[in-house]
Amino acid sequence: MNMNKKYLIIFLFLLQNNFAQTSTNIFPSDGNVGIGTLSPDNQQNWQKVVDVYASAHAKLLVRSNLLKTGIFSDQSWGSKVVGRIGTESNHDLWLMAGYGNFVMTLGTDGNVGIGNTNPTNKLDVNGTIHSKEVKVDLLNWPDYVFKKEYNLPTLEEIEQHIIKEGHLENIPTEKEVLKDGVNLGEINAKLLQKIEELTLYAIEQNKKISNLEKRLEKIEKK
């Protein structure tokens, strides 16, 4: 073997040995995969783990010509340390529970759909919502009913409106509700307005009853 071949073999051996020592990836055929680490994190003893590691930012990306979907570990997202999952390209994200069973949609416009793959509101739910509490922000609350300048309709006016329109004034009709649903905050405010109006009617009726009782007492004393 000539000297040139010997030097070439020695160089390749040193290069291979150096690569093995400095490599930060591990791809065992029957174990855990590490990218950026020789010790994949498997504290919970899963059968298979893929660990993508970097000191500050790491991502696991699956992509096609148009779409990029990934999992992101980011230590410098503004002032927060955050984990992110979603599309890196400008596409919606659909979450599945079983292949083809799309249970949640995260839209690029910020809309979220549950049981709905095309949400048109910030939250569209195709089903029942069960919650311990729901808080709705409102700009106008109907305590104006109790102000002196409030024009309280008479019971006769209310009766005529019901006869003519078939529903209370400012309350949506059955047809409107079946078509468009109701705004929870708005309908509660309107219902409270009617309750406050009823309270004023009850107070007025009570005054009339009290006056009648006093007059009746005077008559009986004569």
Side-chain angles (χ1 to χ4, degrees):
M1 182 180 297
N2 60 40
M3 293 298 296
N4 289 336
K5 287 185 178 180
K6 288 182 178 180
Y7 287 136
L8 179 60
I9 292 173
I10 293 173
F11 173 75
L12 292 175
F13 173 78
L14 292 174
L15 180 63
Q16 182 180 8
N17 186 58
N18 183 64
F19 176 78
Q21 291 179 2
T22 59
S23 175
T24 57
N25 303 325
I26 183 171
F27 302 95
S29 60
D30 58 352
N32 301 324
V33 174
I35 301 175
T37 176
L38 296 176
S39 302
D41 189 342
N42 189 15
Q43 298 180 27
Q44 295 81 23
N45 294 319
W46 292 85
Q47 288 184 334
K48 300 290 183 181
V49 168
V50 177
D51 183 1
V52 181
Y53 172 78
S55 59
H57 325 288
K59 70 179 179 181
L60 181 63
L61 193 63
V62 180
R63 64 189 182 92
S64 60
N65 289 336
L66 297 177
L67 179 64
K68 293 182 180 181
T69 304
I71 301 173
F72 311 85
S73 182
D74 197 343
Q75 290 187 199
S76 62
W77 186 256
S79 60
K80 293 185 177 181
V81 176
V82 297
R84 293 179 281 143
I85 181 170
T87 59
E88 192 174 87
S89 53
N90 188 33
H91 296 88
D92 294 349
L93 177 67
W94 290 4
L95 302 183
M96 296 188 302
Y99 188 79
N101 181 26
F102 304 109
V103 296
M104 182 178 290
T105 299
L106 307 179
T108 56
D109 52 6
N111 292 340
V112 177
I114 300 177
N116 183 343
T117 57
N118 188 31
T120 56
N121 298 286
K122 286 305 175 186
L123 178 61
D124 279 349
V125 179
N126 183 20
T128 301
I129 298 176
H130 183 177
S131 174
K132 289 184 178 180
E133 184 176 353
V134 176
K135 185 175 181 180
V136 179
D137 293 330
L138 293 174
L139 297 176
N140 193 19
W141 199 240
D143 284 348
Y144 52 78
V145 172
F146 295 140
K147 294 182 179 180
K148 292 181 179 180
E149 58 269 24
Y150 181 70
N151 184 22
L152 181 68
T154 65
L155 291 174
E156 289 77 13
E157 290 173 336
I158 293 175
E159 181 184 18
Q160 290 304 312
H161 185 276
I162 292 174
I163 292 172
K164 182 180 178 181
E165 303 294 340
H167 65 94
L168 288 173
E169 188 175 4
N170 295 326
I171 298 297
T173 66
E174 179 183 15
K175 184 178 180 180
E176 291 171 334
V177 172
L178 291 175
K179 179 183 177 182
D180 302 321
V182 294
N183 182 301
L184 185 61
E186 180 181 345
I187 194 64
N188 273 283
K190 288 182 177 180
L191 291 175
L192 179 61
Q193 177 186 355
K194 298 306 177 184
I195 291 173
E196 291 182 346
E197 289 177 349
L198 285 172
T199 301
L200 293 178
Y201 295 134
I203 291 173
E204 186 63 28
Q205 291 294 326
N206 185 64
K207 289 179 180 179
K208 290 180 180 181
I209 292 172
S210 295
N211 289 333
L212 288 173
E213 288 177 343
K214 290 177 181 179
R215 292 176 60 183
L216 181 59
E217 286 180 2
K218 289 181 180 180
I219 293 174
E220 289 177 345
K221 287 180 180 179
K222 289 181 180 181

